[in-house]
Amino acid sequence: MTNTTHSELGAPTPQASPLVHGPIFGTLIGLSAPNLVALCSSAIITIAETAYVGRLGVSALAGVTLVFPIVMLMQMMSAGAMGGTISGAISRALGAGDNERAQAIAFNAALIGVAAGIVFAALLWAFGPIIYRALGGRGAALDQAILYSNITALAIIGIWLANTFASIARGTGLMAPPAFILLAGGLVQISVGGALAFGLGPLPALGVAGVALGQVVAFSLTAIAMLGLTRSQRARVKLALSPTMFRPAIIADVLRPGLLACLSPIQSVATVLVLTALVAQFGADALAGYGVGARLEFLLIPIAFAIGVGSVPMVGAAIGAGNVKRARHVAWTAGALAAGALAIVGAIVAIAPDLWATIFVDEPGVLSVTRDYLRIASVGYPFFGLALCLYFAAQGAGKVGGPILAQSLRLALIVIGGWLIMANSMPLWGVFALSALAMVAQGLFTLVAVRATRWGASERRVL
């Protein structure tokens, strides 16, 4: 494509783009910072919503807890797995100077987002009650879970659309507007959900149904705002809503790596469930202490996630422009930055675990478990950050097989190691050491896999 075409579409030419030629560290920080703000606010929103759901009673809290992993899985799949794939595909097209292909990818990615939202919403309506019973839901808790789930299913459509449109924007290097739209949507979720849950002012008190409606309203508005962004003058690739943009081949090109990438959040959820089941064998204090310690990891993820998402368009644009050396430099810089940031956090909690633990508990037995977990597990934090960040960088290159295998290795180590721990009646610290070892193994394997995977001319043919 010519440089004139780029200007007409509102995108900088490959020669002028900071994604291709800007300073790596400074550009990466500039792209990562807005995502960190949005993702940290998301963690705070989750904590706040959990707090006021708890005021609705034990049954309400238990019911929402049963549904929460599914909602989180939708977020992780739409924003991280499929979303990162979409961003990487668009950035590679832009790096190659092919704006027409970038526009076609955007349109067909939107179709994927619509279809995924509808399909997963339908699956939740059909199989939600079966899932919650399998997870142990009974009586009033099960009733609350089904009520909350049936309404939340509508929000899943908005979740997929909002994150798909955000990923289209991120693929062009446009990070701040999607981040602030997501932040605003989160504030709407808290406000509307709380007002409808407790019946503030003239509004009816709907309980968990109100909380779920807050999500529906928030994600619907967020999706509309994101759509407006992708069609505005600020968009570097404007989403053209025209049937002539339909390309089955592009849909297939996006789905192949995208579906593979979706194994990452699925395995992440499976890993948490296995570790929780192992710790539960040691009693209530152990489970509570582990829960407090593991909660810190939910705040570590946004750091690595923000840096990783920031690296996607830089890696993709460099690959598209044929500059593999720069793409790898971006990946290593991002990985080192994420590992370093999480290493600092790990060192702090290893030396002073009570800085975190005493925020949540004061019972001596639970505190002791939390301290042990943080001191041991913190060894794995930098490797966890490295693995997650390189997973996103690999999405920019269109090569996620290695990082997915690394995550499979982590899950396998925990399953096999957990069986050995239980079979040999090892102490609780053995489970914590296993968790740290699995994170170290995942990080190192991801590093080796990314290094060994060819990011040469063959990658240009992916998307």
Side-chain angles (χ1 to χ4, degrees), residues 406-450:
Q407 198 157 39
S408 299
L409 172 65
R410 179 190 177 195
L411 177 58
L413 282 174
I414 288 175
V415 170
I416 296 172
W419 177 79
L420 291 174
I421 287 172
M422 293 296 104
N424 291 280
S425 301
M426 293 180 64
L428 178 60
W429 67 261
V431 178
F432 299 161
L434 175 64
S435 176
L437 174 64
M439 284 189 277
V440 172
Q442 180 186 1
L444 294 177
F445 189 93
T446 302
L447 178 65
V448 171
V450 170

Side-chain angles (χ1 to χ4, degrees), residues 62-280:
V64 171
T65 299
L66 290 172
V67 184
F68 182 74
I70 295 176
V71 177
M72 287 304 299
L73 184 61
M74 292 297 99
Q75 288 273 23
M76 294 164 70
M77 290 176 70
S78 60
M82 194 64 71
T85 301
I86 292 166
S87 295
I90 290 175
S91 63
R92 288 193 296 277
L94 291 177
D98 194 345
N99 277 73
E100 286 185 2
R101 182 168 178 80
Q103 278 196 318
I105 292 171
F107 175 81
N108 289 277
L111 294 182
I112 292 173
V114 172
I118 293 173
V119 168
F120 281 114
L123 289 174
L124 192 58
W125 279 320
F127 299 105
I130 298 174
I131 295 172
Y132 309 136
R133 289 189 185 95
L135 291 174
R138 298 291 185 273
L142 178 60
D143 293 338
Q144 293 287 289
I146 294 173
L147 173 61
Y148 178 77
S149 175
N150 285 341
I151 299 174
T152 300
L154 289 172
I156 287 177
I157 300 173
I159 289 172
W160 271 93
L161 288 176
N163 286 326
T164 298
F165 295 142
S167 298
I168 292 171
R170 288 170 179 156
T172 70
L174 191 63
M175 297 289 177
F180 287 108
I181 290 174
L182 289 172
L183 174 59
L187 296 177
V188 170
Q189 180 179 334
I190 289 179
S191 302
V192 175
L196 290 175
F198 300 108
L200 300 184
L203 298 175
L206 301 178
V208 294
V211 178
L213 284 171
Q215 292 194 34
V216 174
V217 172
F219 283 111
S220 297
L221 292 176
T222 301
I224 293 171
M226 289 291 187
L227 175 61
L229 174 64
T230 61
R231 291 181 53 77
S232 71
Q233 293 302 315
R234 302 190 68 180
R236 296 171 186 173
V237 171
K238 187 173 291 188
L239 178 59
L241 301 179
S242 171
T244 60
M245 302 293 291
F246 177 63
R247 304 282 192 279
I250 287 180
I251 290 178
D253 285 343
V254 172
L255 285 178
R256 275 194 298 270
L259 292 176
L260 179 61
C262 284
L263 292 176
S264 176
I266 291 172
Q267 291 185 122
S268 293
V269 172
T271 298
V272 171
L273 291 176
V274 173
L275 281 171
T276 301
L278 288 172
V279 174

